[in-house]
Every structure is written in structure tokens, then in C-alpha cells.
Amino acid sequence: MRGAVWICDIGPGPGQHGGELLFSGPVHDFFAAGRSAGSHEGTPRSRTAAFLARAERPPRPAARRPGDGLLLLRGAARHNLQGLDVAFLARAFNVVTGVSGAGKSSLVEELIERAGRGALEASPRVTKLIAVDQSPIGRTPRSNPATYTGLSDVVRDLLAATPEAVGRGFGKGRFSFNVAGGRCEACGGAGVQEVGMHFLGRVDVVCDACGGRRFNDETLEIRYRGLNIHDLLETTIEEAQVVLGGDGRAARILSTLNRLGLGYLRLGQPSTSLSGGEAQRIKLASELSRPGRGHTVYVLDEPTSGLHAADVAVLLSALDGLVEQGHTVITIEHHLDVVRAADRVIDLGPGGGPHGGQLVAIGTPEELAACEASVTGAALRGGGNGAVPTAVAAGLPRPDPAATARPITFTGVRTHNLQGIDVTIPPGQVTVVTGVSGSGKSSLAFDTLYAEGRNRFVESFSAYARRFLDKPGDAEFDQVSGLTPAVAIRQGRPSRNPRSTVATMTEIGDYYRLLFARIGQRDAGKAGSRQPAVGSDSSPRRDACDLLPTAYRLPPAATVHLTASMFSPNTEQGACTACKGLGTIVECDPTRLVTEPSRPLDAGAMDGHKAGRFYGDPFGQHVATLRSAGRARGMDFSGPWVELAPGARHLALRGAGDEEFDVEWEFKRGARTGVQRFRSRWVGFAGLVEEEYARKHADHRGEALEPLMHRVGCRACGGTRLKPERLAVRVAGRHIAAWLALTVDEGLRLLAAIARDPDGAGLSPRDALVSRDLRDEVERRLMRLQEAGVGYLTLDREAATLSAGEAQRIRLA
Ligand SMILES: [Zn+2]
Ligand SMILES: [Zn+2]
């Protein structure tokens, strides 16, 4: 927060007590607001400001507890631990600190593992060890705080005990959405139904039958203190204390949850929507609400992660309560307020990986603060709160990243083919990764640096949100430090979709279509002539999403509504019918069909391909038809292809249109011969191949003909992809294909000319006004392309023909 320029603070409390914008402004003013917290005039409602200004902080224990006995770990050598002997204080609050990779998790894992096999030296004896981590409390929306803590059991007992339920013979199973009986069977108690949406994947829609209430009507008629099972699951923990507080079990669980700052959660809130920190506190609450017997050791891994400073105080008092009950708490933690609250700090280091694994200091926070060698000690001396400072110094204004950031250091990188390399990348500078193809450049830059940066960023989201993010492959390395969230601009492969162009990649095409829908003028023949628009006196809608039709008068007095989709080659309304909006068509290439030009057509000229051999069969019906057409036109096809006149070649390849010929086909099939007479058109050999391709190209058989085909510009639309009537609509004297055919540089010059003199460019004052936002947006986007160095590209350039570098620069823009 101290590194930010602008702060938005929301609150003041959680759940229904929050949701207000408390502050939005420069970080300076926010701190000023926090500092005035003590004075009577400006007590801020923002607890964040108060904490940052240190007007509020968790209470520190008056004295350190001496503990009662020890938990001894001798010769701990897991991972990088260097044979450590560590003594934790029993019945006290222990915090394990140290830089990333120092061995904190290894030490705690070793402790858990030894306790698990009864090999932990401890006095008093450890009755139970409970590790509370941040993993989700359930992976389905069916688990929730109530099911995890056992509250749902209490709620079902209470409902089943009502006279109404007893009278109807409803047992407690009636009030579970996990078993048949009381639940809504239409959705199986989920409250939602999954619907396949083709391109959008699967979505959940609220169940029609129960309206999302998850139970059937008879079940919902049973009420406890006026609330049915659905109402009860919808109440917050805080509200439930009032409704269910009369029940001893419920009261214990609810007050624990509330004490841990979770009062705003709903009892039935799906576990998939909880953050890792919330999940950990629910687990903790569930442990805390069970009356502890004997000596229990609680192990927590960074319980403050994701917690607000105000919530840290709540957590600390809950942990303190455990110690007061005679239990031992051990946490791994960076948060200085937690470290300060410890009875014993175990500081590992001094560095990470092979440079760590040693015991730097052990003692009270005061003793640690006096230890010169300890990074944590230095942070404690600094008197700050929040986490042990890493990159961001506490100074204002915003620190220069290059001056304060640490280098990014990876050691032992083994991602893909990398051979355990160590890499340091200086901050605030340009670093180039070089090497021959396949040497591992991408493995380092993308699959290690970027992937790990993204993984860490993603971990801050709730388990629910994480489901929607694809996870980049796991990077393999020993240690990393200084890592920040990373942004990758990959070269990628340009789109293979022939409909993808520079205009579609940049969305400028969408803006052009909106422009044409809004102010396009039907051209009566000569460029620049305009027809007045119908209804132009009514005030035009100005929102950017204005895709609604605008009416124009067209000659001869016909009215059509121009819409943006009419100018898209990817809609039926806009696409040229001949090429279906592709701008090109696939044709048979004569040079690929006639492979042996020195031979006659009926004697092997087309033998290079199976289809050519079939059509060129001297005893086949196609050669018979060609001969008949030739006779009618006075042409002879018995000579070699190269010697045929251009007219004869055209007839052989492209046919004779709709004219029909009498054909006498002397056929020969095996031993059988005969004559068949019929009337037929002659479409030409290329035409025959194209007909066959059109029949088959939808399936794999079409592939067999691919070698004979090539792609040529569509003659019907001249490659513009659009229907002729769409090309008759103009803006500034140009149809949309002409706009798209301009380079980025030319487009900017045209827009500038229009802005200078709308009337001269053919825009009425009204058109100029209603198109201004659109033109400005297009201009901004074109300028970004120009700045990215691709001003020479035309907008209709197919993405597939771009170089990788060009595609990358377009994406960057
Ligand atoms: Zn339902
Ligand atoms: Zn076309």
C-alpha cells in the first residue's frame, strides 16, 4: 500500500457492515487521514488508514510466557536443514521466521512427521497435533462452513425436533441436500442446473423447480423460530448467533467463527467461493470449538495471508486463547505483528536454499531485534508493521522500482532441458535471453520466470476463482527470490483462421462497421453524393454499444436499416455469396491437373493425379462428353495438350456453360462393351474437379483433391468479402473495404482530414457529430499500431500472412 499512488479503501466492516467507499485518492491524503485518527476532529472510519498510520495495532502481550516444557527436534536435516537442534516452547506461542527458502516449511514438516510416528521428544507429552493449512475445506459447492464445522448437523437436529416435523414424520435426513427425500430432485439439491452453452462452455442456471432454494416445498414448510432450512443456510454467522444461540453446540461453533472475524459468511456459502485464508480460519474455528483435552499442538502455515491488519488482531487473540487453554501453537509467519506477539521466535536463514537451513536466532522478539545477523530482527527494529519489508521501502512518494527492487534470482532451474542453472535478473533494466534454437530460452523466460510469477499471483485468489484460470506448467527450480507478478507477451503463432485480419485482431474493424451503420450513405453512383437520412432530426443515441439500426432513405425511396453486422464478412447479411465472405475461392489449378502437357488429354496428360486419371479415362463418359462438345465447336482434342489452341484449352478445362450436347459414349467395362447415348452439359475437367471438391471438402475425402486446388481472389466481390449492396454504402466517399484497404498511416491521415474539414470529406455536421467518439476511438487504436511500428500494414491484411514479429507488435498495441 505504501508503494501505491492511489488508494481505494472499502469498508468499514465485513459483509453487510461493509460495501461503502471510505476513501479514494492519493496515498498521501490517506496517510494523513490515518494520522489524524487520534485527534477528535478526524477519526477515520477506515481501519486500514488507522493501521497504516499505526494509530491502531494489535495489542502486544505485557510479558512473554515462559512456556511449560519443550518440544525438541534434534538433528533436523530435511531438505536444506543443516542438522538443526530446535527447541519449541510448549504451552506457548512459537513463530518460525526467515527469508523465503530458509527452511521454515521443512522444519515444520519435520515436526509434523516426527509427531506422527511418535518420535517427537516432548514434555509434556503431545496428545494431538493438528496442522491447519489453507487448502479448501471442500472442493464442491455442496460443502460450506456449516457442513465443515458440524453446524449443519445442529441445524438439522433442531428442524427435525420441531412439532411440525415430528407430526409429519420428517427425520433429520429430510433437511440434507445431499440425500434424496427432502431436497429438490430437479437439481439434486444443488439449487442450480448445469447447462451446456456450446461455445461458452457450461454454465450454472438457477433451478426452475426450487428457485435455487435446494429443497422441496414440504421440507421448506418446516420452520425453526420462523426460518426454514433454506433461510437458515442463508443467514450469516453473525445473524445465526441470535437465531441458534439457544443451542449450546451451535453457540460454541458460531461464537468461535465470529471471533475469528468470519461473522459475515453465510452458513451455506459454497466452499468454492472462500479464499484460502477464510478456509484456514474455518478449520481453525472448527478445532477451537471442540473442547480441547490434553496437550494439543496446532501448526499453522502463514495464517495471516490475505488478512487485513484488523483481522490479524482477531486471529492473534484466537491463537492466544489456545495457549491460555494449555496448548502449543507453532506458526510460520512473516507478519511483524504476529512475530511481535510470539513467546518464542525461531529465525532460520541466513539466506535461501543452500545458503539457508541454519538457525540464525532463537528467543523472544526483543532478543531477536537485538540480533545483528537476523533479517527479521532488523525488520523488528525498524518498528514497521505488516510484512517483513522486501522490495518496498516505507518511504513516500512512490519508490523508484529500479532503486528499491531486489534482483530476481533463480537457483537450480531444471525446467525442461535446463540443467540446474542459477540466474540473476537485475530489476529496472532490459535483460535479453539468447541462445540457439532449442537451447532453453523459452523454458527460462516463459516456462520458469513467467509461469512461477503467475502461479504465485493466482494463489492469492479464492479456490473458486482459480478454477477459471489455466495454470501454466510447473517450473522446476530450487529457490527463487525477488519474483514479482509477470506479464508475458508471447510471439505465438499468428491465427490460421482466414477470417482473422489486422482489423479483427485490433477490433478496429468493429468500430468501422459501427461507423458505417451510423453514418453510412447509400451511394447513387458517384462518390461523395449523399442522401439525407430519415429521422436525422431525432437526437441520435450516443452510447458506444449502439448497434441498433438507424434508418436511412435509399433510392428509390426504399428504407433499409443499416446495422453493423451488415458490414461484416462473417455474417450472412454481409458476406459475398460466392466466397462466403472469405474474399478468395478455391479453384482447380490447371497446371496441377495437367501434369504431362506433352500428351493428349485422353492419353495421359492428366495422369499425375488419381482424379485426373479417372476423368481422363479414354473410355469414360467425361472424355466422351468432351469429344462431343469439341465436335459441336469444331475442335479436336486428340493432339498433345501443349499444341491445343487457347480456346480448346478453355473448353477442356472450363466447359461450355449451359449448352447441352448429344453424347455417344462407347463404354468398356471389363469384358462388356456397348454404346450409351445421353444429353449433357460439359463443365470442363477443372469444373469436374471443383464439383467433386465441393461435394467432399467438408469431410476428409476432400483432402485427396487438395493437391489439385489453389486459392484465388473471388471474382464476384473482387476480394472485398462483401455483398455488392454493402459496398454501395460509403463514408467519406469510400466503401468499407476501401477503408480497410488503407494502411494504418493512411487511415490516420484520412481521419485527420475528416476532423479538419468534415464537410469537405463528405460528412454533414450531424454525421460529424454522431461519429466523433467512434472516429476518436479508431484514431487512438491506429496510433497505437503506428507507435508499435506497423503503420505500413493494411487493416485487411490476413493475420495468417503476418510475420511473428508483426503479430506480436499488433498484440502489444
Ligand atoms: Zn432445484
Ligand atoms: Zn466474394
Side-chain angles (χ1 to χ4, degrees), residues 576 578-579 714 716-717:
C576 161
C579 63
C714 171
C717 63

Side-chain angles (χ1 to χ4, degrees), residues 37-62:
S39 68
H40 52 272
E41 20 156 350
T43 302
R45 296 163 70 215
S46 165
R47 299 190 68 188
T48 313
F51 269 101
L52 276 178
R54 297 170 207 171
E56 186 179 343
R57 72 166 20 166
R60 280 195 226 179

Side-chain angles (χ1 to χ4, degrees), residues 712-731:
V712 294
C714 171
R715 281 178 286 271
C717 63
T720 64
R721 302 169 178 241
L722 292 167
K723 287 193 167 103
E725 54 266 43
R726 304 305 174 220
L727 297 175
V729 178
R730 290 168 189 262
V731 168

Side-chain angles (χ1 to χ4, degrees), residues 1 214 483 488 508 534 545 559 807:
M1 283 182 264
R214 312 174 81 159
L483 193 62
I508 292 172
V534 170
C545 297
T559 300

Side-chain angles (χ1 to χ4, degrees), residues 562-719:
L562 293 179
T563 64
S565 60
M566 285 181 181
F567 298 97
S568 167
N570 302 328
T571 67
E572 206 181 328
Q573 291 171 289
C576 161
T577 44
C579 63
K580 299 189 168 58
L582 285 171
T584 55
I585 53 170
V586 172
E587 274 188 357
C588 175
D589 181 352
T591 63
R592 304 189 197 194
L593 181 64
V594 183
T595 49
E596 307 290 337
S598 58
R599 297 186 187 173
L601 283 169
D602 58 0
M606 302 188 293
D607 272 7
H609 190 272
K610 196 177 150 199
R613 282 197 295 280
F614 171 74
Y615 291 121
D617 176 2
F619 302 103
Q621 60 168 313
H622 302 294
V623 167
T625 310
L626 171 67
R627 287 183 187 135
S628 302
R631 268 196 297 279
R633 297 274 173 99
M635 293 173 182
D636 176 29
F637 291 97
S638 58
W641 168 260
V642 285
E643 290 172 16
L644 294 180
R649 288 187 186 182
H650 188 267
L651 180 71
L653 288 172
R654 289 281 153 209
D658 288 336
E659 189 180 343
E660 292 196 340
F661 305 97
D662 289 310
V663 183
E664 245 188 50
W665 173 27
E666 294 173 32
F667 69 87
K668 186 168 148 189
R669 267 191 213 123
R672 292 203 315 129
T673 56
V675 177
Q676 201 166 332
R677 291 183 184 82
F678 55 92
R679 259 184 93 72
S680 175
R681 289 164 59 226
W682 169 241
V683 300
F685 288 122
L688 286 165
V689 171
E690 284 160 14
E691 281 180 1
E692 188 182 345
Y693 183 75
R695 269 198 312 278
K696 292 179 174 174
H697 91 283
D699 62 50
H700 66 277
R701 295 174 305 162
E703 282 172 28
L705 291 168
E706 295 281 0
L708 295 177
M709 313 304 285
H710 67 166
R711 195 165 265 284
V712 294
C714 171
R715 281 178 286 271
C717 63

Side-chain angles (χ1 to χ4, degrees), residues 169-189:
F170 290 172
K172 79 185 270 197
R174 182 91 199 181
F175 305 98
S176 165
F177 49 67
N178 290 322
V179 296
R183 71 180 180 190
C184 165
E185 280 310 317
C187 59

